[in-house]
Amino acid sequence: MKHKGILVVVSGFSGAGKGTLMKQLVKTYDAYALSVSMTTRAPRPGETEGKDYFFISKEEFEKKIADGALVEYAQYCGNYYGTPKEYVEKQLEHGKDVILEIEIQGALKIKERFPSALLLFVTPPSMKELKRRLCGRGTETEEIIRARLSRAGEEAEGIEAYDYLVINDDLETCVKQMHALIQGAHSAPLRNEAFIANIRTQLEELSKGEK
Ligand code: 5GP
């Protein structure tokens, strides 16, 4: 199926500031729709159902998998996370670029299923800064922070699978850079196959002297 919008996968270490970045991106430009994932992890203080995540039980999540209702899903630090299919399909059809803020296993599955997806990897300028941001959140235990840093080490091994690296130092600069990268991606031949096929047909007709 051909979509009008493109799928934009954004990954990055936990604490990289992706959440804030994505919210700012969709607020600034109306070309984008942010997919809200389903998860079995408990809500953090301040998180809202349906806005940050759809918080569901393990049984409900496994039913979604069985029903084929997820575009992709993965396990991360002992919990399930997945992207609901219906919203993504609908927004792409409406011409929106859909942002999936997901971890690396999910990102690789998306790339396999949708080769024209754009993959961006967000990182803070240094890993010292990452730890500072994780601790500064004040919502995670020491053990969770350690698990997330260890997971970051594993994820760092997969960065080359992404199309672009985005260094999140200053929020506004970073939002502008992401917008520029996504807009640029629209011009890649890979994402304009119908247009290219059309100009080839026209050239063929013209060269035969047809109108
Ligand atoms: P957190 O618990 O910090 O909200 O998220 C943990 C990790 O799960 C983050 O790297 C986040 O990007 C990722 N994540 C969130 N939603 C999804 C999803 O729907 N699918 C996948 N594969 N990863 C997700």
Side-chain angles (χ1 to χ4, degrees), residues 9-124:
V9 171
V10 180
S11 303
F13 310 128
S14 179
K18 285 165 296 173
T20 316
L21 200 57
M22 293 310 99
K23 287 193 180 90
Q24 189 64 23
L25 183 77
V26 295
K27 212 171 102 187
T28 313
Y29 306 99
D30 56 288
Y32 307 120
L34 187 58
S35 161
V36 178
S37 296
M38 293 181 170
T39 184
T40 59
R41 94 152 154 69
R44 288 188 193 121
E47 283 185 333
T48 315
E49 164 75 17
K51 195 160 160 250
D52 296 286
Y53 281 107
F54 295 103
F55 297 97
I56 63 176
S57 69
K58 189 162 174 266
E59 290 68 34
E60 286 170 314
F61 198 101
E62 285 170 351
K63 172 117 191 358
K64 296 280 174 198
I65 300 174
D67 291 347
L70 303 174
V71 184
E72 63 72 42
Y73 69 93
Q75 291 212 27
Y76 179 96
C77 295
N79 284 300
Y80 277 126
Y81 293 81
T83 306
K85 193 186 269 174
E86 201 184 325
Y87 176 83
V88 172
E89 290 283 330
K90 211 181 272 170
Q91 294 298 321
L92 288 174
E93 286 306 320
H94 285 149
K96 295 267 188 183
D97 294 336
V98 181
I99 318 271
L100 310 183
E101 192 223 303
I102 64 177
E103 53 66 68
I104 193 161
Q105 301 167 58
L108 297 178
K109 277 187 232 158
I110 292 286
K111 188 76 188 176
E112 208 179 287
R113 279 189 66 187
F114 308 96
S116 66
L118 176 70
L119 269 62
L120 307 178
F121 195 93
V122 180
T123 170

Side-chain angles (χ1 to χ4, degrees), residues 141-193:
T141 63
E142 182 97 8
E143 195 191 338
I144 289 182
I145 291 174
R146 225 172 303 121
R148 282 173 179 247
L149 284 174
S150 151
R151 176 65 188 238
E154 288 165 32
E155 293 198 330
E157 293 302 313
I159 296 179
E160 284 89 347
Y162 288 75
D163 296 303
Y164 295 103
L165 193 59
V166 179
I167 297 170
N168 184 13
D169 200 350
D170 170 68
L171 180 70
E172 292 304 318
T173 312
C174 203
V175 165
K176 279 192 194 137
Q177 191 195 354
M178 293 195 95
H179 179 60
L181 288 171
I182 301 168
Q183 293 314 301
H186 273 279
S187 302
L190 161 79
R191 301 186 183 91
N192 291 280
E193 283 170 353

